[in-house]
Amino acid sequence: MTLIINNLEEIQLKVEKAANRVGRQVADVSIIAVTKQVSTERAIEALDAGLNQLGENRPEGLLEKSESIIDGAVWHFIGSMQTRKVKQVIDKIDYLHSLDRISLADEIEKRATRIVNCFVQVNVSGEESKHGLQPEEVIPFIEQLSQYSRIRVVGLMTMAPNTEDLEVVRNVFKNLKKLQLEVEKNGYAHAPCHDLSMGMSNDYEIAVEEGATYVRIGTALVGNERRDS
């Protein structure tokens, strides 16, 4: 657990400094410990270290860990969700970070027994390798979701390009923030859209500066047991 505690202290300090640089409250930023590359035992260590927001990107990983971690965790599904896998995990998660198509919304509506907090995934960078809606598709998509009683759009999510050009990364986050404010301003009852899920191990400080309310941090926080073994 010492590894996680040390990493967490360093990350929290960097998040605080990033928030201070732009006049934000550090309390407005939540850290999701992404446990996809570590064991259930390491995920439990993260929980014991005070990290109650846990993220998985595969149904199998989420099901395995949630069977052992019964209480105390807020579960985020951060990967692309296959429609056929919805029924396995939808009632086990608190947040879905990858809502990007009506067929997925249909399946959530069919399978969920409660309201699911969803982030609409946006492909701000336009990379073919990334999932998500194009920015101009977001508001029409969200308006379509008003007919779904099990879906609540709490915010938008994106992934920045894997590049050393930090201005490119910053512009992606900046553009998602502008889009989030536009959705929020419309005042949709089903889509308050107050939150932004953006920033990972290599770019979370920039994400915080540009308005992230959730950062998704894996290797820099909990390590990578697959790589280290």
Side-chain angles (χ1 to χ4, degrees):
M1 195 195 300
T2 304
L3 167 76
I4 295 176
I5 290 173
N6 290 341
N7 288 344
L8 179 58
E9 287 177 352
E10 182 179 345
I11 289 167
Q12 284 176 326
L13 183 60
K14 289 181 177 178
V15 167
E16 183 177 2
K17 287 181 176 178
N20 287 341
R21 282 195 292 270
V22 294
R24 296 187 64 202
Q25 298 294 318
V26 69
D28 293 337
V29 183
S30 295
I31 296 171
I32 300 170
V34 178
T35 55
K36 65 181 183 179
Q37 303 287 7
V38 299
S39 63
T40 299
E41 290 71 28
R42 183 71 65 86
I44 292 171
E45 288 180 16
L47 200 64
D48 290 342
L51 288 157
N52 72 321
Q53 314 262 347
L54 302 182
E56 282 287 325
N57 73 331
R58 292 172 59 251
E60 296 77 12
L62 185 135
L63 291 170
E64 178 188 332
K65 292 184 175 76
S66 63
E67 283 178 6
S68 299
I69 302 172
I70 306 299
D71 297 312
V74 176
W75 287 106
H76 297 255
F77 193 87
I78 61 173
S80 180
M81 176 71 81
Q82 293 178 286
T83 306
R84 62 187 178 87
K85 301 274 187 162
V86 168
K87 63 183 177 182
Q88 297 178 20
V89 300
I90 200 63
D91 279 337
K92 298 182 184 298
I93 62 175
D94 299 285
Y95 291 87
L96 173 68
H97 289 243
S98 51
L99 180 57
D100 62 354
R101 59 198 186 279
I102 288 297
S103 60
L104 179 55
D106 287 339
E107 193 66 14
I108 292 170
E109 185 75 6
K110 178 180 175 183
R111 302 291 183 179
T113 61
R114 54 185 168 84
I115 294 174
V116 182
N117 293 314
C118 296
F119 289 85
V120 170
Q121 184 167 355
V122 189
N123 185 356
V124 178
S125 66
E127 294 174 279
E128 289 186 9
S129 60
K130 286 189 167 52
H131 294 276
L133 297 163
Q134 296 303 305
E136 64 273 13
E137 297 174 323
V138 169
I139 287 180
F141 177 72
I142 287 176
E143 288 177 345
Q144 278 186 277
L145 295 176
S146 64
Q147 62 187 300
Y148 294 84
S149 63
R150 307 288 189 191
I151 291 174
R152 182 173 185 262
V153 178
V154 296
L156 306 180
M157 179 277 237
T158 200
M159 297 174 66
N162 184 15
T163 175
E164 294 181 7
D165 189 338
L166 299 185
E167 279 310 301
V168 170
V169 172
R170 187 176 297 280
N171 282 332
V172 165
F173 294 152
K174 197 184 294 282
N175 286 332
L176 191 71
K177 175 63 179 178
K178 282 164 56 177
L179 186 55
Q180 176 259 320
L181 289 173
E182 191 176 343
V183 177
E184 185 182 55
K185 182 181 67 178
N186 286 340
Y188 302 118
H190 69 289
C193 202
H194 299 317
D195 290 313
L196 281 176
S197 170
M198 58 189 194
M200 299 190 294
S201 288
N202 59 335
D203 56 20
Y204 66 88
E205 292 173 82
I206 300 173
V208 171
E209 290 175 350
E210 297 302 332
T213 58
Y214 287 90
V215 291
R216 313 177 301 269
I217 306 179
T219 305
L221 181 55
V222 297
N224 184 335
E225 290 178 317
R226 294 178 187 175
R227 188 182 64 191
D228 299 339
S229 60

